[in-house]
Amino acid sequence: MTLLTVHQDNHPTPATTATGTGTATGTGTATGPHPAAEPDPATQTSTETKTGTDTRAKTPVDPARMPRLTTTVPREYVHRSTLAEVFLTGCEQTGNTHYTLTAQWPRAHTFFTTPDGTHHHPLQAAETIRQTGIYLAHAELGIPLGHHFLMRNLHLTTHPQHLTIGPTPTDLTLTATYTPHHPHTKRPTDFTMHITITRNGHPTATGTGRFTCLTPTTYQRLRHPHTTTPTNTTSTTSTTAAGTTAIGTSTAGTQHQPPNPPPTHYGRTLPHDIVLTPTPHPHTWQLTPNPHHPILFDHTTDHIPGMVLLEAAHQAATAHTHPTPTTHPTHPTTLHATFHHYTEHHTPTYITTHTNTNDQTPTTHITAHQNNTTVFTAQLTTHTPT
């Protein structure tokens, strides 16, 4: 990846007075037959006779010799509005379909941090994988800005022992391999991305996601009548195909609901991070995220972002597995999610859970329904760090 470097040309300041073989007056007027010639900056001595100041010409810095400095990739390439939410910092192609990227996670992210403040939240790895797939599509695979992305599925495995928060931001190395599903097309508009995230040589997370790219015209036709021409094209393309929930404008199914338990019941500490509201039915919640959440709704979308559904799956699994709040929060270690349909705004969406008790490690199955249609499914296993 080529880093943009900027330098400022430094030009020598012309001398205001000069001395030649003749005698110059205090006003700079020569007494000889010819005006005193201005000294050549290239041969001018380091000390001015009149002022004693250094007027040596400064050589401009060669951009090629400037150090390579760390910066984030353009936020438009990962479909984020806020620079603070861009985790990728660089990319280098290492093969026909192989790339090595760098990333950094902050020490105190306002959302992607476990309640006890000791670990990066595993869903930060999911967001990093999402950003990687979109970035490579734009920057390396030739997908123009303004195209829309669908993430059809996501498979994620994390290693909590390598998610601990240290005294400095966490620097990461990612290796990514993409597999086009239609290799003979001009652009790989349908591909699977395999990504490994390492920290100091240790595997932190591995993930696989399938992405489909749509032109603005195709997207408008697909989404009609749920959307019109967007004012911000990246806002409608940024996340997954099926991320949506009820934003709370609809009152259907909200009558006589039990009170919402404290945020720790869902594995969070702040009320505005909770995306679920309990219903009278066991292991069933209504999806009610805050539409002004600065992370989950980083920009306007014509459907609920997929990251909202992943967060709902995590919160529902936590509430199902640990109905009593615990001081030892669980960390998702494996996640298999499939986005079946777009989840629309302003239509009630319900999240249900059940646990497979036959496995040695219990797995929570999460299903999201909207208008009696399954829009999202996930299987999630959790681990309580020691």
Side-chain angles (χ1 to χ4, degrees):
M1 174 182 178
T2 302
L3 295 181
L4 176 63
T5 56
V6 181
H7 72 278
Q8 180 178 358
D9 291 324
N10 297 307
H11 300 285
T13 303
T16 57
T17 61
T19 57
T21 56
T23 302
T25 66
T27 58
T29 304
T31 58
H34 301 287
E38 296 222 349
D40 184 355
T43 60
Q44 187 177 3
T45 60
S46 61
T47 303
E48 178 81 29
T49 302
K50 298 287 290 181
T51 63
T53 57
D54 187 356
T55 58
R56 285 178 297 181
K58 296 181 180 179
T59 304
V61 178
D62 183 0
R65 296 176 179 238
M66 294 184 71
R68 293 172 61 90
L69 303 179
T70 300
T71 184
T72 64
V73 302
R75 59 187 173 90
E76 293 84 358
Y77 281 14
V78 296
H79 296 184
R80 276 299 191 183
S81 296
T82 307
L83 286 173
E85 299 309 314
V86 179
F87 300 140
L88 302 182
T89 59
C91 176
E92 179 183 0
Q93 185 171 4
T94 55
N96 290 335
T97 59
H98 302 277
Y99 300 87
T100 298
L101 302 96
T102 54
Q104 186 182 84
W105 290 344
R107 287 182 295 168
H109 195 276
T110 58
F111 185 72
F112 290 120
T113 303
T114 56
D116 58 4
T118 62
H119 288 70
H120 298 288
H121 198 284
L123 287 186
Q124 191 165 17
E127 168 61 18
T128 304
I129 289 172
R130 184 197 73 84
Q131 292 188 15
T132 301
I134 295 176
Y135 173 79
L136 289 177
H138 282 314
E140 302 291 344
L141 305 182
I143 302 299
L145 290 173
H147 279 48
H148 301 253
F149 285 76
L150 315 178
M151 180 179 279
R152 298 183 179 274
N153 54 54
L154 174 68
H155 306 284
L156 175 68
T157 300
T158 63
H159 304 278
Q161 68 271 26
H162 298 306
L163 291 174
T164 55
I165 296 176
T168 60
T170 301
D171 291 316
L172 304 166
T173 300
L174 289 72
T175 56
T177 303
Y178 85 92
T179 303
H181 292 278
H182 307 286
H184 301 296
T185 58
K186 183 178 180 180
R187 291 192 182 108
T189 56
D190 187 15
F191 58 89
T192 294
M193 195 70 66
H194 306 270
I195 298 167
T196 299
I197 303 175
T198 59
R199 174 185 185 181
N200 297 327
H202 300 289
T204 302
T206 56
T208 301
R210 181 173 178 179
F211 297 81
T212 298
C213 309
L214 302 174
T215 65
T217 301
T218 302
Y219 185 81
Q220 294 295 316
R221 184 172 64 249
L222 177 66
R223 295 292 292 138
H224 183 78
H226 300 290
T227 183
T228 57
T229 302
T231 56
N232 181 352
T233 55
T234 59
S235 69
T236 58
T237 67
S238 66
T239 39
T240 61
T244 32
T245 105
I247 293 240
T249 56
S250 173
T251 58
T254 60
Q255 302 299 320
H256 309 295
Q257 290 183 337
N260 220 357
T264 52
H265 181 76
Y266 300 103
R268 288 292 183 179
T269 57
L270 300 177
H272 77 272
D273 289 337
I274 305 305
V275 301
L276 301 177
T277 298
T279 71
H281 305 286
H283 307 307
T284 302
W285 298 264
Q286 185 174 355
L287 189 59
T288 55
N290 175 9
H292 304 293
H293 194 282
I295 310 302
L296 294 175
F297 291 90
D298 173 69
H299 43 257
T300 304
T301 62
D302 64 3
H303 59 275
I304 299 297
M307 287 301 297
V308 173
L309 287 180
L310 295 180
E311 176 62 24
H314 163 246
Q315 292 186 16
T318 302
H320 182 112
T321 307
H322 298 281
T324 302
T326 175
T327 58
H328 301 286
T330 59
H331 295 181
T333 52
T334 61
L335 170 67
H336 303 284
T338 301
F339 305 94
H340 301 281
H341 297 281
Y342 288 97
T343 310
E344 307 299 344
H345 290 302
H346 313 304
T347 302
T349 303
Y350 295 98
I351 306 291
T352 59
T353 60
H354 73 273
T355 301
N356 185 348
T357 57
N358 295 328
D359 296 337
Q360 187 175 5
T361 302
T363 299
T364 304
H365 298 262
I366 302 99
T367 304
H369 295 91
Q370 187 175 73
N371 292 329
N372 297 320
T373 300
T374 298
V375 294
F376 168 78
T377 55
Q379 298 83 44
L380 190 148
T381 60
T382 57
H383 166 72
T384 301
T386 57

